[in-house]
Amino acid sequence: MPIPSFQRFHLPPASNSSLLVTGGAGYIGTHTLLELIRAGYQPVVLDDFSNGSHLALKRVESLAGHTLQVVEGSITDTGLLDAMFSSAAEHGSPIQAVVHFAGLKSVGESVAKPLDYYQTNVAGTLTLLQAMERAHVHTIVFSSSATVYGIPLAQPYTESHPIAPVNPYGSTKAIVEQILRDWCAAHPAHRATCLRYFNPIGAHPSGMLGEAPEGIPNNLFPFITQVAVGKRPHLNVFGNDYPTVDGTGVRDYIHVVDLAIGHVKALEHSRRATTGFVAINLGTGRGTSVLELLHAFQTVSGQAIPYEFQPRRPGDIAECWADPSTAEALLGWKATRTLEDMCADGWRWQSQNPNGYEP
Ligand code: UD1
């Protein structure tokens, strides 16, 4: 891939840099593993496979031409974490940094089972940080979410927008950000980069990696692709009376490969950063309505997507998109893939893998 002109920072290659990637077998984790390997890192994956796939990791290995070290287990397992950090050090490749994806991620489920979410997302991260301290690992990149902002006071969201999550899932992300802020204040060597994702969609252009939700998808894009492949009869469009361009909800959809590259840039940033904690939006800065995404997908895929308007979904906001200027200034990163790329790559994945990673 050509090196975009906005890559202003040049650093020595990261070869032999061993990383722990928690939740590496999931949707964003697998795409990020590929980009990390390409950048010269050696990731060790920890995943409990509650929402991740062994086959996805096999495909990462085949795309990257690289064998991964994979450990099946939980971030809440202190003994396992200690053993992983010590084993890497004993084998001459001590873990230099952690990219932390592992966690529960369904907003609706978090309302029904808040304790599970606080246990895995908050207590799990604390356990991980304590193990990092024992192993003298000072750097973490954390999978946060634009969900931490809650009800928008203004658009686009900048990183200085108040943090006021409106559901337990969002609260776990906000609490972990606060823990990381305090952890960085406690020691000058600590580095934490919280990446606040907007709406990641699409798939790897090979068609071999993509999103594989269990059961009925909660999110718009995988629902559209499942209608296109004939698994669902039609799309329900939640609300056509919002004060937006066409009455449907507006979001900042970002290609998962752009998002993955953002993590590589965040690690590079940690190596040169002079301050400890930073939170950075990863979005495109463009808002797209439900109907605009639907039409783009139909054009790119050639598939008709029947849809019906339904009442607004409880808890949804009318519109949100990112101010991505901090990412460009600090990381030298910006999203380059278009809405058409997201649709084409997402459709290639879904049509070639109608059942995701299942046979
Ligand atoms: C949701 C989560 C957010 C998470 C993100 C991951 C909520 C409240 N927020 O964001 O925490 O980080 O997913 O991508 O769940 N829509 C339909 N029909 C559908 C599904 C969605 O019309 O079947 C509409 C929604 O009303 C919304 C837009 O599509 O306007 C996007 O929805 P979705 O993909 O679920 O993402 P968010 O709600 O923005």
Side-chain angles (χ1 to χ4, degrees):
M1 202 202 307
I3 297 176
S5 56
F6 57 79
Q7 281 187 322
R8 285 176 282 125
F9 303 102
H10 183 73
L11 287 167
S15 57
N16 296 323
S17 223
S18 191
L19 302 174
L20 173 62
V21 179
T22 73
Y27 172 46
I28 301 170
T30 46
H31 289 82
T32 303
L33 282 175
L34 205 48
E35 300 304 326
L36 290 170
I37 296 166
R38 289 210 171 122
Y41 291 99
Q42 294 189 359
V44 180
V45 176
L46 173 65
D47 202 299
D48 68 1
F49 293 93
S50 57
N51 196 20
S53 156
H54 290 279
L55 178 57
L57 292 178
K58 289 281 162 223
R59 291 186 176 182
V60 169
E61 290 183 327
S62 117
L63 285 166
H66 175 99
T67 304
L68 284 167
Q69 283 183 63
V70 180
V71 175
E72 183 158 355
S74 167
I75 51 163
T76 59
D77 184 341
T78 304
L80 178 64
L81 288 169
D82 284 344
M84 287 186 73
F85 284 115
S86 340
S87 160
E90 279 159 21
H91 288 86
S93 30
I95 303 284
Q96 307 286 330
V98 176
V99 185
H100 179 33
F101 295 106
L104 302 175
K105 62 171 189 177
S106 159
V107 172
E109 188 184 55
S110 80
V111 176
K113 299 178 177 175
L115 301 188
D116 287 0
Y117 275 67
Y118 288 106
Q119 177 64 32
T120 302
N121 295 6
V122 179
T125 304
L126 277 175
T127 306
L128 174 64
L129 286 168
Q130 286 158 349
M132 285 171 63
E133 284 208 352
R134 285 189 293 276
H136 308 291
V137 178
H138 297 312
T139 301
I140 185 166
V141 174
F142 173 60
S143 200
S144 189
S145 168
T147 274
V148 297
Y149 296 123
I151 310 292
L153 303 180
Q155 284 301 311
Y157 283 124
T158 62
E159 289 86 355
S160 57
H161 187 283
I163 300 299
V166 294
N167 53 63
Y169 165 72
S171 297
T172 66
K173 294 292 179 187
I175 291 168
V176 170
E177 284 201 5
Q178 184 59 47
I179 291 169
L180 292 173
R181 203 183 293 271
D182 295 341
W183 183 70
C184 287
H187 196 292
H190 290 171
R191 296 283 178 273
T193 307
C194 295
L195 299 177
R196 294 178 180 160
Y197 308 155
F198 280 70
N199 289 60
I201 63 169
H204 191 263
S206 63
M208 288 174 69
L209 301 176
E211 188 170 13
E214 266 182 38
I216 301 171
N218 292 317
N219 296 124
L220 176 62
F221 191 76
F223 206 106
I224 291 176
T225 62
Q226 290 199 5
V227 173
V229 86
K231 293 185 78 168
R232 315 265 161 220
H234 68 273
L235 172 74
N236 290 315
V237 176
F238 299 134
N240 62 349
D241 57 351
Y242 286 109
T244 60
V245 58
D246 56 20
T248 64
V250 166
R251 297 291 184 273
D252 186 337
Y253 297 98
I254 174 171
H255 196 297
V256 65
V257 173
D258 276 330
L259 194 79
I261 293 168
H263 294 73
V264 179
K265 297 289 180 185
L267 279 169
E268 289 172 4
H269 170 261
S270 306
R271 292 160 69 207
R272 62 175 180 261
T274 50
T275 53
F277 176 90
V278 65
I280 302 176
N281 287 340
L282 290 187
T284 65
R286 281 188 310 276
T288 301
S289 75
V290 174
L291 290 182
E292 286 169 342
L293 179 60
L294 190 66
H295 292 141
F297 184 84
Q298 291 187 128
T299 304
V300 166
S301 67
Q303 304 296 307
I305 309 294
Y307 65 91
E308 291 174 7
F309 288 121
Q310 300 291 344
R312 295 179 182 191
R313 186 172 66 175
D316 271 357
I317 53 178
E319 52 187 1
C320 82
W321 65 94
D323 175 344
S325 56
T326 305
E328 192 170 2
L330 286 187
L331 309 184
W333 172 96
K334 66 179 178 186
T336 60
R337 288 157 182 82
T338 64
L339 197 64
E340 286 69 31
D341 295 332
M342 302 178 211
C343 292
D345 293 336
W347 174 234
R348 188 177 304 105
W349 153 254
Q350 182 75 74
S351 53
Q352 290 179 9
N353 305 269
N355 299 316
Y357 295 106
E358 301 299 321

